[in-house]
Amino acid sequence: MRRMGAALVALLVLTGCAREAADTVVERPRSAPSPAASGTSDAGSGLLDALADVSGEGPAAAYVEYGEPAWWRGLGVSGGSGDGRRWLPAAGSGLGSLAHAAAVLPKATGMTPEAGARAIAIGVPPRQAFRFDGGVDAGAVRAKLTALGAKPRRLGGHDGLSFTPGTEIDPSRTIVPGVTNQLNQVVVTDTMVATASAAGPLAAVMGGGPALAGSPDHAAVAACLGDVAAATIMASSAPGAVTLYGVGLRRPAGLDDRPVNVICVLPAASAATKVEQALTTQLTPAASTRNGGAYGDHAPEIAHDRVRADGRTVLRAVLTLNDTADVLFANRLLYQGELEALSDPSR
């Protein structure tokens, strides 16, 4: 899948500025039905907490991906079989470009993202970083990386391990097939593993500098997404009509629930009317998808509204999917650039 912008092609992938839920206002466009699920922001939600724990002055401003493996485990999504199989892609959210290697990471590196509470990926190549909170066997990670040739180094004010001081890639060293330098520099504690290609992104994913939650734009999109257990917030590839895109998956009450995807588009104030017109007329059950067929083939219910948060108005679409659709259908629209085409009238 292709993420927007040239730098994204290589990637498959609370501070005081956080607002209380009472400060979030939901507005319904004229003649539009009320969304199936309101998803009004909760200031203590996992997504907002994640934005508070990474830096807003680095690669996270361009791309941040969030997931809650612990929540999905509790729901019974594990093992790759049975009723939970459909939801497995959501359980891997937050791993970014390491998702394809998740099954072999524990044996190769001692890192066990699926055993943790939270996963966060930030940035686009080459400025990527990853963070896994909870479920950490620090001794195992250190032992396996040391055996692979990593050396002790001071990284971002923490004791860490790295294979090279810079961002060089050694093609002869295969830690995990398909993984290049994402694991070049690693900091591991009893509660967290952070890894990146270089010191800057590594510090950013550990929270160096003002938090991303302090960005009114990101806070507004997070408020729009609401209570989600998988989410991605991405900057527009060509800022103009649209500033940020967000997609998320609402928490199902049970494995048999119909998935509910949320799409949030933060337009520039000067382009808000045109962006809303484009989104609400082109993203409907009857409208045609880029690949043929109709959006209703995947999401028979699509409701549009507006969310006012952090001084911004965010346009929201709530998609209730059918029994066969990809539970991360909205992510596919984002990564393939289709959401940009649907919402940006200049495209």
Side-chain angles (χ1 to χ4, degrees):
M1 294 187 292
R2 180 180 64 84
R3 300 195 194 274
M4 296 177 292
L8 298 175
V9 174
L11 181 64
L12 184 218
V13 203
L14 283 176
T15 67
C17 290
R19 300 293 190 259
E20 294 296 328
D23 292 333
T24 299
V25 178
V26 178
E27 303 173 353
R28 187 176 56 188
R30 293 175 186 167
S31 304
S34 178
S38 66
T40 303
S41 169
D42 176 358
S45 73
L47 176 58
L48 283 172
D49 287 344
L51 298 187
D53 286 342
V54 300
S55 174
E57 294 186 333
Y63 179 88
V64 59
E65 180 183 324
Y66 167 77
E68 297 180 15
W71 190 86
W72 293 106
R73 287 197 311 274
L75 193 65
V77 180
S78 62
S81 61
D83 295 337
R85 182 177 180 84
R86 181 184 187 187
W87 302 91
L88 279 174
S93 183
L95 301 184
S97 62
L98 292 179
H100 71 281
V104 295
L105 277 175
K107 182 177 180 180
T109 69
M111 301 176 192
T112 54
E114 67 177 15
R118 181 178 73 176
I120 304 171
I122 66 171
V124 297
R127 302 184 69 229
Q128 297 173 266
F130 310 86
R131 172 174 174 165
F132 314 128
D133 293 274
V136 178
D137 185 340
V141 175
R142 293 189 185 103
K144 288 181 179 292
L145 293 180
T146 299
L148 289 167
K151 304 297 183 185
R153 288 191 175 91
R154 192 72 176 164
L155 302 171
H158 300 268
D159 291 330
L161 294 163
S162 73
F163 292 93
T164 63
T167 59
E168 299 86 358
I169 298 174
D170 180 358
S172 68
R173 183 182 66 245
T174 302
I175 300 174
V176 175
V179 174
T180 53
N181 62 341
Q182 295 100 316
L183 305 178
N184 183 37
Q185 301 193 3
V186 179
V187 168
V188 55
T189 71
D190 290 337
T191 60
M192 177 192 72
V193 174
T195 177
S197 60
L202 184 67
V205 84
M206 291 189 293
L212 188 60
S215 159
D217 289 350
H218 285 80
V221 171
C224 172
L225 290 171
D227 189 21
V228 289
T232 297
I233 300 176
M234 183 188 297
S236 173
S237 64
V242 174
T243 302
L244 285 177
Y245 295 94
V247 294
L249 174 63
R250 293 268 169 80
R251 302 173 191 275
L255 297 178
D256 294 331
D257 277 15
R258 292 170 65 187
V260 176
N261 283 187
V262 188
I263 292 173
C264 294
V265 178
L266 177 62
S270 60
T273 300
K274 290 183 178 179
V275 172
E276 182 174 31
Q277 182 179 18
L279 187 64
T280 57
T281 58
Q282 296 186 106
L283 182 56
T284 68
S288 298
T289 69
R290 173 183 290 177
N291 297 324
Y295 288 107
D297 296 338
H298 310 274
E301 299 174 32
I302 301 177
H304 293 272
D305 67 353
R306 308 182 196 97
V307 177
R308 182 73 179 172
D310 285 88
R312 272 77 172 151
T313 297
V314 189
L315 307 176
R316 178 166 65 185
V318 177
L319 289 69
T320 302
L321 307 182
N322 61 26
D323 292 334
T324 58
D326 179 357
V327 299
L328 296 181
F329 176 70
N331 290 63
R332 178 146 48 95
L333 298 182
L334 176 66
Y335 298 160
Q336 294 177 341
E338 190 163 354
L339 179 55
E340 186 174 50
L342 287 169
S343 58
D344 190 337
S346 67
R347 295 289 181 261

